[in-house]
Amino acid sequence: DYEIYFWNGSTITQITDNAVDDRYPEPSDTHVAWIQGSSIYVWDGVSTTLVGVSSTFTHYKVSGSKVIWATFDDDAGIRVWQASGTTIIPGSGGVGLGFEVSGAYVAFSDASPEGPVTSLFVWNGTSVTELPNAINPGPMDFDAYCFGPDWALSGPNLVWFSYDGNDQEIFTWNGEAVQQVTENSGEDCEVSVEGALSERGADAGDL
């Protein structure tokens, strides 16, 4: 069957050894998580812990010692596991476009049932901040190749593109306020953020 292995730069450690398949490992600096059937396990370098069980989880991520995953069962929501226990992020039960993790922060979107406009949410480990109706897809301009991520997260910094009534523009949130970064006549899209903002689109390079 399939087992999980870990290489630390010099030696290989076999983490699992059982009669069932262990798949889809996700590492962080200190931990490794993986899927076994409908269960998520995590290894801290010494021992293995069962993080959670759900037949409806879609994807999961690892950040430091935390394991984060989304479920769509009767108790739907984004769950954050730590050694001290599991937390369900408030207001995350209707996750539409997935979630991103960066350090202590988790960002997620929630599609509006009335239309395509989507709100963004950021959880800082204690509370959730909503950026209402942040993403408006607008009419798609296929010549602009706006097929990349709608939004990205780095620490408390969130960046996304949205239709402003004329074309797609770039917006950021630094944990306190929303700022429109671009204002032009072309499509600005496919965002990423890692200390500095980057974009790809008809007017890439305007920043």
Side-chain angles (χ1 to χ4, degrees):
D1 61 338
Y2 291 94
E3 303 293 351
I4 304 298
Y5 297 82
F6 174 76
W7 183 63
N8 64 2
S10 59
T11 59
I12 296 175
T13 300
Q14 183 173 347
I15 299 175
T16 62
D17 187 6
N18 49 50
V20 296
D21 287 334
D22 299 286
R23 299 173 181 263
Y24 315 116
E26 286 284 341
S28 72
D29 325 354
T30 59
H31 289 61
V32 178
W34 66 91
I35 302 296
Q36 183 189 104
S38 58
S39 301
I40 304 175
Y41 289 86
V42 66
W43 179 70
D44 62 5
V46 178
S47 59
T48 296
T49 302
L50 173 63
V51 170
V53 178
S54 174
S55 60
T56 63
F57 70 81
T58 56
H59 61 293
Y60 74 103
K61 298 178 184 292
V62 183
S63 179
S65 61
K66 298 189 290 292
V67 182
I68 304 95
W69 75 100
T71 65
F72 291 90
D73 51 23
D74 292 338
D75 196 14
I78 299 174
R79 287 164 166 76
V80 180
W81 176 91
Q82 301 179 83
S84 58
T86 300
T87 300
I88 300 179
I89 298 178
S92 64
V95 174
L97 301 179
F99 64 88
E100 291 293 334
V101 181
S102 180
Y105 294 86
V106 178
F108 58 97
S109 60
D110 192 358
S112 168
E114 288 79 31
V117 177
T118 301
S119 296
L120 293 173
F121 303 80
V122 179
W123 182 68
N124 62 8
T126 304
S127 60
V128 174
T129 299
E130 179 181 0
L131 306 177
N133 299 335
I135 295 179
N136 181 356
M140 291 302 297
D141 181 352
F142 291 99
D143 292 333
Y145 303 105
C146 291
F147 303 127
D150 288 348
W151 50 275
L153 176 72
S154 180
N157 302 301
L158 191 64
V159 56
W160 66 94
F161 68 88
S162 180
Y163 187 71
D164 69 349
N166 297 303
D167 60 351
Q168 302 286 348
E169 302 292 354
I170 305 293
F171 298 81
T172 65
W173 183 71
N174 62 4
E176 296 181 358
V178 174
Q179 178 182 359
Q180 182 171 341
V181 177
T182 62
E183 177 61 62
N184 50 51
S185 59
E187 305 289 349
D188 301 293
C189 55
E190 296 191 33
V191 295
S192 65
V193 58
E194 187 63 45
L197 173 69
S198 66
E199 59 160 324
R200 174 187 169 193
D203 289 295
D206 284 351
L207 298 181

